[in-house]
Amino acid sequence: MATGDDISSTLTIPSPYVLTIQNVESEHDGMEGLVKVTTSQQLTGESIKTFLKMDPELTYTVEPNDYGFTIRSDKFDVEKSYALNIRQGLRGKIGGVLKEDYTGNIAFGELESDISFTNSKAVYLSKKGGKNIEVRITNVPKVKLIISKIYENNLLLAQRYGYYPQETGNGSEYASYDYEGDYYDEYGGDAMLGDVIYEKEIDTRSLPKSGAGRILNFSQFEDRLPDFKGVYHVVIRSGEDYWVKDSRYISLSDLGLIAKEGREKMYVFTNSIKTASPVSGVNVSVYASNNQLIGTGATNAEGVAEIAYSKKEFSGFKPAMIIAKTEDDFNYLPFSNTRVNTSRFDVGGKRNNPSGFDAFVYAERDVYRPGEKINFSVILRDAQWKSPGDVPLKLKFLMPNNKELKSFRKSLNEEGSVEGNIDIATSAITGSYTLEVYTSNDILLASKSFSVEEFVPDRIRVNTKLDKQFLRPGESSVLSVNAMNFFGPPAANRKFETEIQVKQKFFSPQKFEEYDFSLANQNTFFDTKVEEGITDEAGNANIDYGVPATYANTGVLQTSFYTTVFDETGRPVSRAASVDIFTQPVFLGIKRDWFYYPLNQAVKLQLAAVNKDGNGTNAVAKVQVIKHEYRTVLTKAAVISVMNHRRMTRVCLNKQ
């Protein structure tokens, strides 16, 4: 539909001959001050510092970037203000010049206390290296270091649910407080995932500086439990404000691990982190997500361990972690946060050629028929993305059998491009043709593939149909496949393949759109298997599918059947069919309401029960209202007072 009125907008385009200072921002992390100056153009490579003056004067460095430049200095005082003067004459890359002197004020203000590790994702620390960890500490005069050891058999639970160290003085004090109702301790009662092995209060000024951070040397403490294998959990918090803190897991090891997971086999590559050389004789164990050992092995002379394991139909037996250990070393590799997926990306990278040129070849399409003409263009640029001028090129057009169909020379025009065309004979063989672009001294710059194909319609017609409209756990269904030749007899004795995929399906009845029917703590569900066979004399085939009873009470699932039948030439023809699996007779939902409620007033929670069709139904449900209480307790030890906080859980309502 056309617009009723004209749409207009006013834009201001700055002059390319005038350079302006657009913004000046300052920040301080407690160790070093930064002043970010944004300009209207990227600056030239000339010395920027000669155009700057700071009052009061101090030592600083200047770093140019794409948006201007950054002033960096550890001499900045957060309690002082500074005047920044930029003299006229500063030049931009596209010709802009600063016409007038610029003066701006710089102030940092009061800094908020903060503690954070510089690298929030790093876990592995070489056992044979310096054992240094960089920490950013802002406006915290004293910190407390708490190091715990997480034992080998608890690593998976600690990764999944977190670990909270019990500092000295935390624990028995809570026994003197009486709480009403039934409580569940989130720490698991007497169960402990690890133990605190080192505590120390450190003056921040005693830690060596490293740029904007401080260096914490991990070798300064003694492991009081060297006989128990595991990794370390490090907490650094303020000595006064206990909520100002950061924590992380540290694996002190020289064993670097890379794992490649197959269908029923896993390859583990073990190398030294310091020297990158393979490590032999390392005992490797594979644990499933239910913390069960499912495979073991040892690395060979090349540092490779081949571990076979059998997959079970239970979802808990999916590989989740690798543990590698020797007599004096230990390391682990959790799959939850270390998995690398490169299937969707081109990770091959770009290779430079000796000529320094970069070529791009394109055409109006990628598929042609015999007898048509291929029109193409080539654009050439140098390392600075500029036209190289009148440069001769050699072009070769190769057939699918890699024989040369045509070779010719062309020179670039003033725009740095060249156009051409190639006629494809009506008798040309079909397949993938390649156009290669070379320099005059036979350096390959780029290549482009074209497909020359005849249009061939499907030879067979495929129909699939399920005998049931929906399924429940324990029930079975039959997928009927019928393949017929077009204008001919049934497609008998044809190979077929059916891929069966089961995945979760979002359930939201139209009559109850404001209700949430999702399951609590529900994990992503996905299962797949492949069935193969041959059609009978009538072109028919049946695939039996049974819903496992273990799918019960997992919400709504959808099973998709992707069937492919191959004709006599091997060309595939595919069809899809799907069926819903209702794993529950009744689905319970809670109306989405506001999360915050006023005090001392009754709260009305609306519940709904529906059947598979989304219609309301009568059902018996167990309702629990759980209250989470956060309590802070100030306890006084021999010398200092310690503030501890804890979350407690109480069942306020349990009704059916």
Side-chain angles (χ1 to χ4, degrees), residues 116-230:
S116 63
F117 289 96
T118 303
N119 192 326
S120 60
K121 295 183 178 180
V123 174
Y124 304 101
L125 189 64
S126 177
K127 193 175 184 180
K128 298 181 180 179
K131 303 179 183 178
N132 293 323
I133 305 173
E134 186 175 359
V135 187
R136 292 184 181 270
I137 304 175
T138 304
N139 200 20
V140 180
K142 289 186 177 181
V143 297
K144 185 172 183 181
L145 176 65
I146 306 152
I147 301 178
S148 307
K149 194 165 196 177
I150 312 298
Y151 302 119
E152 174 183 350
N153 59 325
N154 295 328
L155 288 175
L156 205 58
L157 295 177
Q159 286 285 329
R160 185 175 299 168
Y161 303 113
Y163 172 75
Y164 308 94
Q166 298 284 348
E167 299 181 42
T168 302
N170 293 3
S172 60
E173 289 85 345
Y174 288 99
S176 62
Y177 291 89
D178 295 328
Y179 299 99
E180 297 180 359
D182 297 328
Y183 283 91
Y184 297 95
D185 188 352
E186 70 175 357
Y187 290 90
D190 295 332
M192 301 288 290
L193 300 180
D195 287 300
V196 176
I197 59 175
Y198 184 83
E199 291 182 81
K200 184 179 181 181
E201 193 169 72
I202 303 173
D203 191 332
T204 303
R205 293 172 297 179
S206 65
L207 298 175
K209 288 186 177 180
S210 174
R214 297 278 183 172
I215 294 297
L216 177 66
N217 188 267
F218 204 68
S219 60
Q220 66 178 325
F221 80 95
E222 179 184 359
D223 189 350
R224 293 183 293 170
L225 296 171
D227 296 331
F228 294 88
K229 301 294 185 181

Side-chain angles (χ1 to χ4, degrees), residues 411-537:
S411 296
L412 298 177
N413 56 26
E414 59 182 8
E415 301 295 335
S417 65
V418 62
E419 293 78 29
N421 56 74
I422 301 169
D423 293 321
I424 304 297
T426 56
S427 59
I429 60 175
T430 58
S432 178
Y433 288 73
T434 305
L435 176 63
E436 296 180 343
V437 181
Y438 294 84
T439 62
S440 57
N441 55 346
D442 293 329
I443 296 177
L444 179 63
L445 299 178
S447 62
K448 172 71 174 177
S449 296
F450 304 92
S451 294
V452 177
E453 300 290 346
E454 288 280 9
F455 173 72
V456 180
D458 291 341
R459 296 175 180 267
I460 58 177
R461 179 180 64 249
V462 177
N463 293 316
T464 58
K465 185 178 180 181
L466 288 161
D467 63 341
K468 293 183 179 180
Q469 295 182 350
F470 65 90
L471 295 172
R472 298 185 185 277
E475 295 182 352
S476 60
S477 178
V478 177
L479 176 71
S480 301
V481 180
N482 175 258
M484 297 290 293
N485 290 309
F486 279 109
F487 313 108
N493 301 320
R494 297 286 183 263
K495 291 183 179 180
F496 72 89
E497 179 183 281
T498 299
E499 181 176 351
I500 305 173
Q501 295 182 1
V502 183
K503 58 184 179 181
Q504 288 173 335
K505 184 178 180 180
F506 181 70
F507 183 71
S508 179
Q510 187 175 3
K511 298 179 181 178
F512 297 87
E513 292 181 349
E514 298 180 352
Y515 288 77
D516 183 10
F517 291 87
S518 59
L519 299 180
N521 302 322
Q522 186 177 24
N523 297 321
T524 301
F525 183 89
F526 186 83
D527 191 14
T528 181
K529 68 176 182 178
V530 177
E531 299 284 348
E532 296 180 348
I534 298 177
T535 60
D536 58 18
E537 296 298 328

Side-chain angles (χ1 to χ4, degrees), residues 330-344:
F330 175 91
N331 207 350
Y332 81 128
L333 184 69
F335 291 177
S336 58
N337 54 3
T338 59
R339 188 181 299 274
V340 179
N341 182 11
T342 60
S343 60
R344 296 180 297 154

Side-chain angles (χ1 to χ4, degrees), residues 77 378 504 545:
D77 191 340
V378 180
Q504 288 173 335
Y545 174 71

Side-chain angles (χ1 to χ4, degrees), residues 273-468:
I273 295 178
K274 184 176 182 180
T275 64
S277 58
V279 183
S280 61
V282 179
N283 296 317
V284 182
S285 303
V286 180
Y287 285 84
S289 57
N290 56 12
N291 209 24
Q292 299 300 306
L293 181 65
I294 59 175
T296 59
T299 59
N300 56 22
E302 298 177 352
V304 181
E306 183 177 334
I307 303 173
Y309 61 94
S310 58
K311 285 191 174 182
K312 301 183 182 299
E313 63 180 5
F314 301 95
S315 59
F317 284 89
K318 183 179 180 181
M321 183 179 65
I322 286 176
I323 286 180
K325 54 186 175 181
T326 60
E327 271 188 38
D328 58 350
D329 209 346
F330 175 91
N331 207 350
Y332 81 128
L333 184 69
F335 291 177
S336 58
N337 54 3
T338 59
R339 188 181 299 274
V340 179
N341 182 11
T342 60
S343 60
R344 296 180 297 154
F345 307 103
D346 182 8
V347 295
K350 180 181 178 182
R351 297 177 180 270
N352 296 325
N353 58 72
S355 69
F357 295 143
D358 195 6
F360 176 68
V361 185
Y362 66 96
E364 67 253 286
R365 61 181 190 270
D366 294 331
V367 181
Y368 295 86
R369 294 186 179 92
E372 293 185 337
K373 179 185 293 186
I374 298 177
N375 296 304
F376 65 88
S377 294
V378 180
I379 299 176
L380 198 68
R381 293 292 182 265
D382 58 15
Q384 286 74 37
W385 284 90
K386 296 181 179 179
S387 173
D390 187 10
V391 175
L393 298 177
K394 292 172 60 177
L395 298 99
K396 295 181 180 180
F397 198 66
L398 305 180
M399 295 190 297
N401 55 10
N402 210 32
K403 292 184 178 181
E404 187 177 301
L405 176 65
K406 186 178 182 181
S407 177
F408 48 93
R409 294 175 179 267
K410 282 184 174 290
S411 296
L412 298 177
N413 56 26
E414 59 182 8
E415 301 295 335
S417 65
V418 62
E419 293 78 29
N421 56 74
I422 301 169
D423 293 321
I424 304 297
T426 56
S427 59
I429 60 175
T430 58
S432 178
Y433 288 73
T434 305
L435 176 63
E436 296 180 343
V437 181
Y438 294 84
T439 62
S440 57
N441 55 346
D442 293 329
I443 296 177
L444 179 63
L445 299 178
S447 62
K448 172 71 174 177
S449 296
F450 304 92
S451 294
V452 177
E453 300 290 346
E454 288 280 9
F455 173 72
V456 180
D458 291 341
R459 296 175 180 267
I460 58 177
R461 179 180 64 249
V462 177
N463 293 316
T464 58
K465 185 178 180 181
L466 288 161
D467 63 341
K468 293 183 179 180

